[in-house]
Structure formats: structure tokens, C-alpha cells
């Protein structure tokens, strides 16, 4: 069965121009000149004979011109004729292929001693072997940076150098964006036959894109169920009672597979040195929270990772952490009132000694060189010295904890509202119950899932519309943070039950730890998050000077923000763990699902042979015929003595 299609079908509209020669011929006929003769009989007979011959010639020229226009329009529209013999032959017409490779970290899963990504690359090599020099191949991954360098239109095969450059990507393009990019590249190829091949294990991938081109899914693996362990949420446990060099790192270990795992080795590495390990057993489809202790070898920034030894999928085996440790960080309290017992005891545990007291009238910028954290208790008024000190603290990244008393001046109140992006209401002496603790902030995450024994909070300032709430009661914020500052709106001098709960001590300690270096983001950073800095040291050790002081992290690991400066900090960036749990995805029904012998079924579009060259040659032949005919008529007319 023959099938005709057009590559540029929209241009067929111009085929209407075929009638232009006919319209010109009908509307532009010349009337013969009237000449008076004495006898018209022989002249009339001659005119009738000449008129018949001229009419046939004109019709022939008209047909030729109309055919020339029609053939030119058809050639531009690029007709393609598909025939049964084209499908049955061992050859295929020139075709443009867009190969979309899913390089999400689920493709790192190893089976039969080979990862799924390696199997996908092998499949691309098999496509290379099937392609001819007339084909155009385009390799596209879900890594935007890779596509910018390697997603060119190649003749005959994908270069081996491009295949060797493929790696896992954690900052992925979404599927509609990926398919749209592939379709745009195919359009640039200007080939009549265009096809898309998708190589993916479809773990947690639900593709709903509908492409104008044929799409085929090449199988990567049929393993089901998939076995996998993941390690996540590595974080430092606070030392509340005894601040020593011994440190513990807590982590979550999850078994995503259907089989129990016994005696799995978990180890902790700090500053490139393995400092601890333990064996953990975990049932199928379960998650456990464990911790590993180790001895710190110095003060300052500590960074590393906890790793589980799992050979199936290694991309989610590590969870990175970074923290700053000082055995006795110096803390100062700026205020003119005695410290309440609950605040005093926390500061003694955190700093290892009684905090230094500084009167508000004695504020100067020298204290920023002597202390790591400043506590403002009670914060009732905002003096010019306060303003100068806060401005210097913001510039240097020094953390502050602000605890307003019941007597808050209007200027100080307005300043707090602006600094913490909230609206302060009245001071209330009523008791209410805490009903929200943020699980996303490092200060409150450890107590967010705890069943508090004492939830009652006494006198406090009522706040609404807060941008970043850590703890709240009845919809009113009680603890908020903003950049390098934290604000506690409860009255620490009051006898609130919450202060007797162990969760308060943990929260307060974590809050102070976070303020120890205010440049560290409060929430856990993930791949795709932005780092604000003038320079960044990447996990591989390379240094980037940033013209635009924002860097988007595209791989997990330990980053150094502003390295070499007094504000240098370590940042731990982890993956999103979206592909750790192996849930099968879906593709549209319009996608063709191939089998292991996919080479026999690729190049499937078969839109046909492109015949535009043939049509142009025919149009040229007709143009030459028209010219020859006109020249012949002119020559014959001259031989007969025609004055024209």
C-alpha cells in the first residue's frame, strides 16, 4: 500500500498560485487590430486558420507554466512516498534520531555486574552500529550542562567521546522540558524521517508528554523487585550534659527491598579519616534511626559523611554533614537584668562557663572580636549603639539570640517586625499549648516528632504573619529566625511548663549551635539549592570565583563557602532520595515498547523517500521545454515573414 505525506504540508497552500497563469491569460487577451481591405474573404480564412493554431500553442504554454508552478510548490512541500518494498527491504531511508537517556541516579543500580546506565550506553552503541552515514543522531540526557556540550546533530553515529562523558545527574531536567528540547533538535535536522528513543528504567517516572514524532522505549532491565539500602539525614547530636570531644552522628538507614539485610556495615568519615563504624541489621521495607560515636581531633569546622556499604545502588549510600565545633565557645549576654535559671543553665552547658554580662551602655564593636554569640536579654529598647552593633554583626555574620521582655518600646518593636518579617501583637499573660514545631529547621527538627510531656507556655508576645516559624501555639509564632538572628517571644523569667521539658533544652542547644556561625543555612541543603557567596570550593576541590554571588549546587558533597576568608564555612549538600524507593513509572500508550532485540525494530518512522529533487528536475525540464517552444514559434514566424 502506497502512502503519500509531506514534510512541509503547510506550504501546500501556495499551490493555489497554479491558477495565476490561467487568470492572466483570461484577463489579458489582446484584441486584434482592425485593418480595412477591399476584399476580406482570403484574409478571414487565413485568420481562422492562424487562430486555431495559436490557441493550441497558448493552451500548451499555459499548461506548462501551471505545471511548473505546481511542481515547484510540491518540491518545497517535500513529498514523501512510502511503499511496502521500503518496509521490507534491509535498508532504511535517511532518518534523524533523538536518543533520550535517563541519567537519574536510579540508573546506577547494578545487576549482573553492570549498572543500568552502562547497559543504556551499550544500547546506544548498538544503535550506532545500525545507523548509516545518511542518518543524523542526537544524544540528549536530563543534564542541562551535558546537553549544552554534547547534544549536537551527528552524522552516522554518536561520538565515543560523548558516550564517555555521560554521568549521573542529581539536578534533572523535567520530562516535558527534555522532550521539547529533543523535538527542537529533530526539527533542526531537516530530515523527513524523525524518531525518538527513550532509555530509562522508569523508576518513579510518570511521563505524560505527547510527542509529534514516534517514540519508542528501549528496555534497560526487568529486575523486580529491586533491592536497595539508603542512608540519609546524617546530623550531629547535641551534647547537653557534658561538652566533650566525643561526638555522635545520628542517621536514618532504610531498606527499600523485599529481603532483610543482616550485619550491614555503616562507617563514618570525618575530614577524610574513618573515625567509626558499626554493623546494623534491618528488616525488609523498614527504616531505623541509629547513631555512631567518634572522637574529634580538633576544633573548628568538621565535615564528612556516613556511608553504608551497599553494592546494588551506591548513589544514595552517603549522607554528608558539616558542623563547627568549639569546646568552649565564648558567649556574651547584653542586658541589665539577672539571667533566669533556664537561660543561665543552658548557656553554662553550651559555653562551659558562666556567660559574660555586658551592660547596654557599654556596647562597642570590640565585643565582636571576643565573642562567638551575643544574647540580648531582655531586649526592651533600641539605642543607637544597638543599631551600630547589629549592623556590624550582619556584616560579619555574627549570630544573635533576641529575647524581648514584657516592656518593649515602640521603636524596638517596629525594628523587630521589620527584621523578622512579622507583626507583633499584644503581650499576653495567658497560658497556651504549643501545637507546631517545624521539622525543617536544624534547631527544631530533632524535637518535631517527639511527644512533648509539657506543652504549656506562659506569658509571651503574640506574633502573626511570621516568615519563618520554628515553634508556635494557637497559630501565633513563639520562636522565629531570620538570617543570622533568632527571636524568642516567650518570657524566660516566667515559670512555663515547657521550660521543664527535655525538648526545650535540646531545642535551645541546637538554636545556639546554629547561631555559632550564622552563615550556615538553617535547613538541610539539597542538590539544586543555591549558595550565596563570592567564591565556592566544590566537592572535587576546584575553586570558583563567582561574578554573580549565587551558585546552584549540582552534585552532593561538602562545599566551602568563601574559602580562605574569615567567613569561610562548610556546607553539606545531599541528594533528594527520590529514586531510592523503587516505584515503577508509566509512559503514554502512544509510546512503542521494544524488546531486547530492538535493533530489528528501530528506524520505524518510514515516512518514505523524499522526492523534492525529482520534482525540481521535472520543473526544470518543463521550463526548458517552454523556452524551446517559444523560440521555435518565433523562428517559424520569422520564416513565414511575420513582422512580429
Amino acid at each position: 500500500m502506497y502512502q503519500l505525506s509531506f514534510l512541509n504540508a503547510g506550504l501546500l497552500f501556495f499551490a493555489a498560485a497554479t491558477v495565476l497563469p490561467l487568470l492572466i491569460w483570461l484577463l489579458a487577451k489582446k484584441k486584434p487590430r482592425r485593418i480595412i481591405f477591399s476584399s476580406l474573404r482570403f484574409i478571414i480564412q487565413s485568420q481562422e486558420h492562424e487562430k486555431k493554431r495559436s490557441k493550441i500553442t497558448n493552451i500548451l504554454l499555459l499548461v506548462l507554466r501551471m505545471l511548473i508552478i505546481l511542481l515547484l510548490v510540491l518540491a518545497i512541500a517535500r513529498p514523501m512516498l512510502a511503499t511496502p518494498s521500503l518496509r521490507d527491504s534491509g535498508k532504511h531511508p535517511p532518518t534523524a534520531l533523538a536518543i533520550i537517556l535517563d541519567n537519574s541516579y536510579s540508573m546506577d543500580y547494578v545487576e549482573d555486574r553492570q549498572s543500568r546506565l552502562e547497559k543504556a550506553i551499550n544500547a546506544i552503541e548498538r544503535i550506532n552500529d545500525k545507523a548509516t552515514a545518511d542518518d543524523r543522531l542526537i544524544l540528549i540526557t536530563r543534564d542541562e550542562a551535558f546537553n549544552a556540550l554534547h547534544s549536537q546533530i551527528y552524522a552516522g553515529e554518536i561520538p565515543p567521546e560523548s558516550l564517555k562523558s555521560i554521568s549521573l545527574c542529581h539536578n534533572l531536567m523535567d520530562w516535558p522540558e527534555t522532550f521539547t528540547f529533543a523535538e527542537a533538535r529533530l526539527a533542526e535536522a531537516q530530515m523527513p524521517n524523525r524518531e525518538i528513543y527513550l532509555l530509562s528504567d522508569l523508576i518513579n517516572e510518570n511521563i505524560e508528554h505527547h510527542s509529534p514524532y514516534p517514540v519508542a522505549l528501549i528496555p534497560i532491565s526487568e529486575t523486580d523487585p529491586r533491592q536497595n539500602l539508603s542512608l540519609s539525614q546524617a546530623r550531629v547530636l547535641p551534647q547537653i550534659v557534658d561538652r566533650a570531644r566525643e561526638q555522635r552522628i545520628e542517621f536514618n538507614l532504610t531498606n527499600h527491598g523485599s529481603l532483610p539485610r543482616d550485619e550491614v556495615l555503616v562507617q563514618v568519615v570525618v575530614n577524610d579519616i574513618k573515625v567509626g563504624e558499626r554493623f546494623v541489621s534491618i528488616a525488609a521495607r523498614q527504616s531505623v534511626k541509629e547513631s555512631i560515636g567518634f572522637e574529634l581531633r580538633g576544633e573548628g569546622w568538621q565535615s564528612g559523611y556516613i556511608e553504608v556499604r551497599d553494592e546494588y545502588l551506591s548513589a544514595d549510600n552517603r549522607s554528608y554533614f558539616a558542623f563547627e565545633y568549639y569546646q568552649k565557645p565564648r558567649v556574651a549576654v547584653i542586658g541589665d537584668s539577672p539571667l533566669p535559671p533556664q537561660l543561665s543553665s543552658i548557656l553554662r552547658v553550651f559555653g562551659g562557663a558562666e556567660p559574660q554580662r555586658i551592660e547596654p551602655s557599654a556596647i562597642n564593636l570590640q565585643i565582636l572580636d571576643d565573642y562567638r554569640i551575643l544574647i540580648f536579654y531582655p531586649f526592651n529598647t533600641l539605642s543607637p549603639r544597638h543599631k551600630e552593633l547589629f549592623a556590624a554583626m550582619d556584616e560579619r555574620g555574627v549570630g544573635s539570640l533576641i529575647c524581648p521582655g514584657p516592656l518593649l518600646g515602640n521603636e524596638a518593636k517596629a525594628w523587630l517586625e521589620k527584621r523578622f518579617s512579622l507583626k507583633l501583637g499584644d503581650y499576653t499573660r495567658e497560658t497556651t499549648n504549643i501545637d507546631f514545631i517545624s521539622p525543617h529547621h536544624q534547631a527544631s527538627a530533632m524535637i518535631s516528632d517527639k511527644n512533648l510531656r509539657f506543652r504549656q507556655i506562659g506569658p509571651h508576645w503574640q506574633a502573626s504573619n511570621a516568615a519563618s516559624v520554628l515553634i508556635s501555639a494557637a497559630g501565633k509564632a513563639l520562636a522565629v529566625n531570620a538570617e543570622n538572628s533568632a527571636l524568642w517571644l516567650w518570657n524566660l523569667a516566667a515559670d512555663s511548663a515547657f521550660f521543664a521539658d527535655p525538648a526545650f533544652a535540646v531545642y535551645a542547644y541546637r538554636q545556639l549551635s546554629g547561631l555559632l556561625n550564622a552563615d550556615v543555612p538553617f535547613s538541610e541543603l539539597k542538590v539544586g539549592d543555591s549558595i550565596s557567596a563570592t567564591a565556592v570550593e566544590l566537592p572535587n576541590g576546584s575553586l570558583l570565583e563567582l561574578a554573580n554571588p549565587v551558585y546552584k549546587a549540582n552534585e552532593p558533597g561538602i562545599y566551602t563557602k568563601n574559602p580562605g576568608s574569615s567567613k569561610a564555612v562548610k556546607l553539606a549538600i545531599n541528594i533528594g532520595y527520590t529514586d531510592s524507593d523503587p516505584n515503577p513509572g508509566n509512559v503514554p500508550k502512544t509510546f512503542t515498547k521494544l524488546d531486547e532485540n530492538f535493533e530489528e525494530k528501530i528506524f520505524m518512522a518510514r515516512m518514505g523517500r523524499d522526492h523534492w529533487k525529482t520534482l525540481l528536475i521535472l520543473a526544470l525540464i518543463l521550463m526548458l521545454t517552454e523556452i524551446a517552444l517559444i523560440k521555435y514559434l518565433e523562428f517559424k514566424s520569422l520564416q513565414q515573414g511575420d513582422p512580429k
Side-chain angles (χ1 to χ4, degrees), residues 305-333:
Y305 56 85
I306 292 188
E307 182 178 45
V308 60
R309 302 300 297 270
D310 175 35
E311 297 180 354
Y312 289 106
L313 182 62
S314 60
D316 57 359
N317 286 357
R318 286 184 179 182
S319 182
Y320 294 90
F321 60 84
F323 63 95
E324 195 175 18
Y325 172 80
Y326 292 96
Q327 191 167 6
K328 295 181 179 181
R330 300 197 65 188
V331 180
V333 178

mmCIF file of all heavy atoms in Angstrom, residues 305-333:
data_model
loop_
_atom_site.group_PDB
_atom_site.id
_atom_site.type_symbol
_atom_site.label_atom_id
_atom_site.label_comp_id
_atom_site.label_asym_id
_atom_site.label_seq_id
_atom_site.Cartn_x
_atom_site.Cartn_y
_atom_site.Cartn_z
ATOM 1 N N TYR A 305 31.025 12.365 56.066
ATOM 2 C CA TYR A 305 29.818 11.648 55.648
ATOM 3 C C TYR A 305 29.705 10.336 56.405
ATOM 4 O O TYR A 305 30.684 9.808 56.950
ATOM 5 C CB TYR A 305 29.853 11.370 54.147
ATOM 6 C CG TYR A 305 31.068 10.602 53.668
ATOM 7 C CD1 TYR A 305 31.113 9.217 53.698
ATOM 8 C CD2 TYR A 305 32.191 11.286 53.189
ATOM 9 C CE1 TYR A 305 32.224 8.517 53.270
ATOM 10 C CE2 TYR A 305 33.314 10.599 52.756
ATOM 11 C CZ TYR A 305 33.327 9.210 52.798
ATOM 12 O OH TYR A 305 34.431 8.526 52.376
ATOM 13 N N ILE A 306 28.481 9.828 56.451
ATOM 14 C CA ILE A 306 28.213 8.470 56.923
ATOM 15 C C ILE A 306 27.842 7.652 55.703
ATOM 16 O O ILE A 306 27.060 8.105 54.857
ATOM 17 C CB ILE A 306 27.107 8.447 57.987
ATOM 18 C CG1 ILE A 306 27.614 9.129 59.255
ATOM 19 C CG2 ILE A 306 26.692 7.031 58.296
ATOM 20 C CD1 ILE A 306 26.679 8.997 60.435
ATOM 21 N N GLU A 307 28.386 6.435 55.613
ATOM 22 C CA GLU A 307 28.219 5.628 54.411
ATOM 23 C C GLU A 307 27.831 4.208 54.773
ATOM 24 O O GLU A 307 28.367 3.623 55.720
ATOM 25 C CB GLU A 307 29.527 5.624 53.616
ATOM 26 C CG GLU A 307 29.462 4.847 52.319
ATOM 27 C CD GLU A 307 30.763 4.919 51.562
ATOM 28 O OE1 GLU A 307 31.827 4.758 52.203
ATOM 29 O OE2 GLU A 307 30.743 5.151 50.339
ATOM 30 N N VAL A 308 26.894 3.652 54.017
ATOM 31 C CA VAL A 308 26.523 2.246 54.144
ATOM 32 C C VAL A 308 27.101 1.496 52.954
ATOM 33 O O VAL A 308 27.113 1.997 51.827
ATOM 34 C CB VAL A 308 24.986 2.074 54.208
ATOM 35 C CG1 VAL A 308 24.312 2.610 52.946
ATOM 36 C CG2 VAL A 308 24.607 0.611 54.412
ATOM 37 N N ARG A 309 27.612 0.310 53.175
ATOM 38 C CA ARG A 309 28.198 -0.482 52.103
ATOM 39 C C ARG A 309 27.090 -1.299 51.442
ATOM 40 O O ARG A 309 26.686 -2.349 51.930
ATOM 41 C CB ARG A 309 29.289 -1.401 52.658
ATOM 42 C CG ARG A 309 30.402 -0.671 53.377
ATOM 43 C CD ARG A 309 31.125 0.314 52.472
ATOM 44 N NE ARG A 309 31.776 -0.390 51.387
ATOM 45 C CZ ARG A 309 33.028 -0.854 51.450
ATOM 46 N NH1 ARG A 309 33.747 -0.669 52.554
ATOM 47 N NH2 ARG A 309 33.563 -1.472 50.424
ATOM 48 N N ASP A 310 26.593 -0.784 50.323
ATOM 49 C CA ASP A 310 25.534 -1.447 49.564
ATOM 50 C C ASP A 310 25.945 -1.456 48.101
ATOM 51 O O ASP A 310 26.106 -0.399 47.488
ATOM 52 C CB ASP A 310 24.199 -0.713 49.746
ATOM 53 C CG ASP A 310 23.098 -1.296 48.877
ATOM 54 O OD1 ASP A 310 23.092 -2.521 48.678
ATOM 55 O OD2 ASP A 310 22.253 -0.522 48.392
ATOM 56 N N GLU A 311 26.104 -2.636 47.524
ATOM 57 C CA GLU A 311 26.632 -2.748 46.172
ATOM 58 C C GLU A 311 25.563 -2.616 45.099
ATOM 59 O O GLU A 311 25.896 -2.512 43.917
ATOM 60 C CB GLU A 311 27.367 -4.086 46.009
ATOM 61 C CG GLU A 311 28.584 -4.210 46.917
ATOM 62 C CD GLU A 311 29.305 -5.527 46.740
ATOM 63 O OE1 GLU A 311 28.780 -6.381 45.993
ATOM 64 O OE2 GLU A 311 30.369 -5.714 47.353
ATOM 65 N N TYR A 312 24.298 -2.630 45.450
ATOM 66 C CA TYR A 312 23.242 -2.550 44.441
ATOM 67 C C TYR A 312 23.132 -1.143 43.861
ATOM 68 O O TYR A 312 23.149 -0.941 42.650
ATOM 69 C CB TYR A 312 21.893 -2.976 45.033
ATOM 70 C CG TYR A 312 21.793 -4.456 45.309
ATOM 71 C CD1 TYR A 312 21.842 -4.936 46.611
ATOM 72 C CD2 TYR A 312 21.655 -5.370 44.275
ATOM 73 C CE1 TYR A 312 21.745 -6.296 46.876
ATOM 74 C CE2 TYR A 312 21.560 -6.729 44.523
ATOM 75 C CZ TYR A 312 21.612 -7.191 45.830
ATOM 76 O OH TYR A 312 21.527 -8.529 46.075
ATOM 77 N N LEU A 313 22.986 -0.164 44.743
ATOM 78 C CA LEU A 313 22.838 1.226 44.307
ATOM 79 C C LEU A 313 23.682 2.093 45.235
ATOM 80 O O LEU A 313 23.363 2.246 46.415
ATOM 81 C CB LEU A 313 21.363 1.652 44.353
ATOM 82 C CG LEU A 313 21.052 3.075 43.886
ATOM 83 C CD1 LEU A 313 21.423 3.265 42.424
ATOM 84 C CD2 LEU A 313 19.566 3.385 44.089
ATOM 85 N N SER A 314 24.750 2.661 44.705
ATOM 86 C CA SER A 314 25.695 3.395 45.547
ATOM 87 C C SER A 314 25.391 4.881 45.637
ATOM 88 O O SER A 314 25.921 5.563 46.508
ATOM 89 C CB SER A 314 27.120 3.203 45.015
ATOM 90 O OG SER A 314 27.223 3.685 43.679
ATOM 91 N N ALA A 315 24.545 5.414 44.750
ATOM 92 C CA ALA A 315 24.324 6.864 44.698
ATOM 93 C C ALA A 315 23.664 7.408 45.954
ATOM 94 O O ALA A 315 23.833 8.581 46.291
ATOM 95 C CB ALA A 315 23.492 7.223 43.469
ATOM 96 N N ASP A 316 22.885 6.565 46.674
ATOM 97 C CA ASP A 316 22.210 7.039 47.885
ATOM 98 C C ASP A 316 22.805 6.408 49.141
ATOM 99 O O ASP A 316 22.143 6.308 50.174
ATOM 100 C CB ASP A 316 20.706 6.762 47.819
ATOM 101 C CG ASP A 316 20.397 5.282 47.621
ATOM 102 O OD1 ASP A 316 21.344 4.476 47.521
ATOM 103 O OD2 ASP A 316 19.199 4.931 47.563
ATOM 104 N N ASN A 317 24.074 5.976 49.058
ATOM 105 C CA ASN A 317 24.715 5.321 50.199
ATOM 106 C C ASN A 317 25.323 6.302 51.193
ATOM 107 O O ASN A 317 25.671 5.906 52.298
ATOM 108 C CB ASN A 317 25.835 4.381 49.713
ATOM 109 C CG ASN A 317 25.277 3.120 49.071
ATOM 110 O OD1 ASN A 317 24.074 2.920 49.030
ATOM 111 N ND2 ASN A 317 26.156 2.282 48.558
ATOM 112 N N ARG A 318 25.490 7.570 50.785
ATOM 113 C CA ARG A 318 26.151 8.538 51.645
ATOM 114 C C ARG A 318 25.204 9.659 52.056
ATOM 115 O O ARG A 318 24.367 10.084 51.272
ATOM 116 C CB ARG A 318 27.361 9.158 50.947
ATOM 117 C CG ARG A 318 28.563 8.267 50.838
ATOM 118 C CD ARG A 318 29.722 9.021 50.209
ATOM 119 N NE ARG A 318 30.915 8.183 50.102
ATOM 120 C CZ ARG A 318 32.071 8.601 49.626
ATOM 121 N NH1 ARG A 318 32.195 9.858 49.217
ATOM 122 N NH2 ARG A 318 33.105 7.778 49.562
ATOM 123 N N SER A 319 25.429 10.136 53.269
ATOM 124 C CA SER A 319 24.776 11.355 53.736
ATOM 125 C C SER A 319 25.856 12.244 54.336
ATOM 126 O O SER A 319 26.567 11.840 55.264
ATOM 127 C CB SER A 319 23.700 11.030 54.773
ATOM 128 O OG SER A 319 23.039 12.218 55.184
ATOM 129 N N TYR A 320 25.995 13.440 53.782
ATOM 130 C CA TYR A 320 27.064 14.358 54.186
ATOM 131 C C TYR A 320 26.611 15.235 55.355
ATOM 132 O O TYR A 320 25.411 15.537 55.510
ATOM 133 C CB TYR A 320 27.469 15.241 53.007
ATOM 134 C CG TYR A 320 28.118 14.477 51.879
ATOM 135 C CD1 TYR A 320 27.357 13.939 50.848
ATOM 136 C CD2 TYR A 320 29.497 14.288 51.847
ATOM 137 C CE1 TYR A 320 27.954 13.236 49.814
ATOM 138 C CE2 TYR A 320 30.104 13.591 50.822
ATOM 139 C CZ TYR A 320 29.323 13.065 49.806
ATOM 140 O OH TYR A 320 29.918 12.365 48.784
ATOM 141 N N PHE A 321 27.579 15.659 56.159
ATOM 142 C CA PHE A 321 27.294 16.555 57.278
ATOM 143 C C PHE A 321 28.459 17.517 57.449
ATOM 144 O O PHE A 321 29.592 17.249 57.020
ATOM 145 C CB PHE A 321 27.063 15.769 58.572
ATOM 146 C CG PHE A 321 28.242 14.927 58.996
ATOM 147 C CD1 PHE A 321 29.301 15.467 59.728
ATOM 148 C CD2 PHE A 321 28.298 13.586 58.656
ATOM 149 C CE1 PHE A 321 30.388 14.695 60.100
ATOM 150 C CE2 PHE A 321 29.390 12.798 59.029
ATOM 151 C CZ PHE A 321 30.435 13.354 59.748
ATOM 152 N N ALA A 322 28.196 18.657 58.065
ATOM 153 C CA ALA A 322 29.226 19.641 58.384
ATOM 154 C C ALA A 322 28.773 20.419 59.610
ATOM 155 O O ALA A 322 27.594 20.780 59.718
ATOM 156 C CB ALA A 322 29.475 20.581 57.206
ATOM 157 N N PHE A 323 29.683 20.658 60.516
ATOM 158 C CA PHE A 323 29.353 21.432 61.710
ATOM 159 C C PHE A 323 30.621 22.078 62.246
ATOM 160 O O PHE A 323 31.740 21.632 61.975
ATOM 161 C CB PHE A 323 28.696 20.553 62.784
ATOM 162 C CG PHE A 323 29.582 19.456 63.313
ATOM 163 C CD1 PHE A 323 30.331 19.626 64.476
ATOM 164 C CD2 PHE A 323 29.667 18.241 62.644
ATOM 165 C CE1 PHE A 323 31.149 18.614 64.957
ATOM 166 C CE2 PHE A 323 30.483 17.216 63.121
ATOM 167 C CZ PHE A 323 31.228 17.405 64.280
ATOM 168 N N GLU A 324 30.436 23.126 63.026
ATOM 169 C CA GLU A 324 31.557 23.835 63.633
ATOM 170 C C GLU A 324 31.595 23.487 65.117
ATOM 171 O O GLU A 324 30.565 23.555 65.806
ATOM 172 C CB GLU A 324 31.412 25.341 63.433
ATOM 173 C CG GLU A 324 32.682 26.115 63.716
ATOM 174 C CD GLU A 324 32.523 27.588 63.396
ATOM 175 O OE1 GLU A 324 31.379 28.057 63.294
ATOM 176 O OE2 GLU A 324 33.553 28.272 63.246
ATOM 177 N N TYR A 325 32.762 23.100 65.572
ATOM 178 C CA TYR A 325 32.883 22.658 66.967
ATOM 179 C C TYR A 325 33.896 23.520 67.716
ATOM 180 O O TYR A 325 35.028 23.705 67.265
ATOM 181 C CB TYR A 325 33.323 21.194 67.032
ATOM 182 C CG TYR A 325 33.652 20.739 68.436
ATOM 183 C CD1 TYR A 325 32.656 20.380 69.319
ATOM 184 C CD2 TYR A 325 34.984 20.693 68.876
ATOM 185 C CE1 TYR A 325 32.953 19.978 70.611
ATOM 186 C CE2 TYR A 325 35.297 20.290 70.167
ATOM 187 C CZ TYR A 325 34.277 19.935 71.029
ATOM 188 O OH TYR A 325 34.572 19.547 72.313
ATOM 189 N N TYR A 326 33.453 24.031 68.854
ATOM 190 C CA TYR A 326 34.335 24.687 69.814
ATOM 191 C C TYR A 326 33.955 24.165 71.194
ATOM 192 O O TYR A 326 32.770 24.199 71.576
ATOM 193 C CB TYR A 326 34.184 26.212 69.766
ATOM 194 C CG TYR A 326 34.699 26.804 68.469
ATOM 195 C CD1 TYR A 326 33.822 27.066 67.415
ATOM 196 C CD2 TYR A 326 36.049 27.089 68.301
ATOM 197 C CE1 TYR A 326 34.285 27.593 66.230
ATOM 198 C CE2 TYR A 326 36.519 27.622 67.115
ATOM 199 C CZ TYR A 326 35.629 27.868 66.080
ATOM 200 O OH TYR A 326 36.103 28.385 64.899
ATOM 201 N N GLN A 327 34.917 23.681 71.915
ATOM 202 C CA GLN A 327 34.608 23.074 73.199
ATOM 203 C C GLN A 327 34.035 24.102 74.172
ATOM 204 O O GLN A 327 33.130 23.796 74.940
ATOM 205 C CB GLN A 327 35.858 22.424 73.794
ATOM 206 C CG GLN A 327 35.559 21.553 75.003
ATOM 207 C CD GLN A 327 36.728 20.693 75.388
ATOM 208 O OE1 GLN A 327 37.807 20.818 74.825
ATOM 209 N NE2 GLN A 327 36.521 19.803 76.344
ATOM 210 N N LYS A 328 34.546 25.314 74.111
ATOM 211 C CA LYS A 328 34.040 26.370 74.985
ATOM 212 C C LYS A 328 33.847 27.649 74.184
ATOM 213 O O LYS A 328 34.638 28.598 74.304
ATOM 214 C CB LYS A 328 34.989 26.606 76.158
ATOM 215 C CG LYS A 328 35.111 25.423 77.106
ATOM 216 C CD LYS A 328 36.043 25.724 78.262
ATOM 217 C CE LYS A 328 36.141 24.537 79.215
ATOM 218 N NZ LYS A 328 37.033 24.823 80.361
ATOM 219 N N PRO A 329 32.808 27.711 73.343
ATOM 220 C CA PRO A 329 32.574 28.949 72.583
ATOM 221 C C PRO A 329 32.200 30.089 73.519
ATOM 222 O O PRO A 329 31.404 29.911 74.443
ATOM 223 C CB PRO A 329 31.402 28.569 71.664
ATOM 224 C CG PRO A 329 30.723 27.442 72.349
ATOM 225 C CD PRO A 329 31.777 26.688 73.080
ATOM 226 N N ARG A 330 32.761 31.247 73.293
ATOM 227 C CA ARG A 330 32.534 32.382 74.183
ATOM 228 C C ARG A 330 31.205 33.044 73.858
ATOM 229 O O ARG A 330 30.917 33.386 72.711
ATOM 230 C CB ARG A 330 33.682 33.390 74.059
ATOM 231 C CG ARG A 330 35.052 32.795 74.433
ATOM 232 C CD ARG A 330 36.045 33.887 74.695
ATOM 233 N NE ARG A 330 35.656 34.681 75.874
ATOM 234 C CZ ARG A 330 36.259 35.806 76.246
ATOM 235 N NH1 ARG A 330 37.267 36.273 75.528
ATOM 236 N NH2 ARG A 330 35.847 36.474 77.307
ATOM 237 N N VAL A 331 30.397 33.213 74.881
ATOM 238 C CA VAL A 331 29.055 33.778 74.741
ATOM 239 C C VAL A 331 28.945 34.976 75.676
ATOM 240 O O VAL A 331 29.385 34.928 76.830
ATOM 241 C CB VAL A 331 27.972 32.739 75.087
ATOM 242 C CG1 VAL A 331 26.584 33.344 74.929
ATOM 243 C CG2 VAL A 331 28.120 31.501 74.203
ATOM 244 N N ALA A 332 28.336 36.058 75.173
ATOM 245 C CA ALA A 332 28.099 37.255 75.992
ATOM 246 C C ALA A 332 26.611 37.560 76.008
ATOM 247 O O ALA A 332 25.909 37.363 75.003
ATOM 248 C CB ALA A 332 28.882 38.441 75.448
ATOM 249 N N VAL A 333 26.133 38.044 77.142
ATOM 250 C CA VAL A 333 24.743 38.449 77.305
ATOM 251 C C VAL A 333 24.708 39.957 77.482
ATOM 252 O O VAL A 333 25.358 40.502 78.391
ATOM 253 C CB VAL A 333 24.084 37.753 78.506
ATOM 254 C CG1 VAL A 333 22.647 38.244 78.672
ATOM 255 C CG2 VAL A 333 24.117 36.248 78.327
#
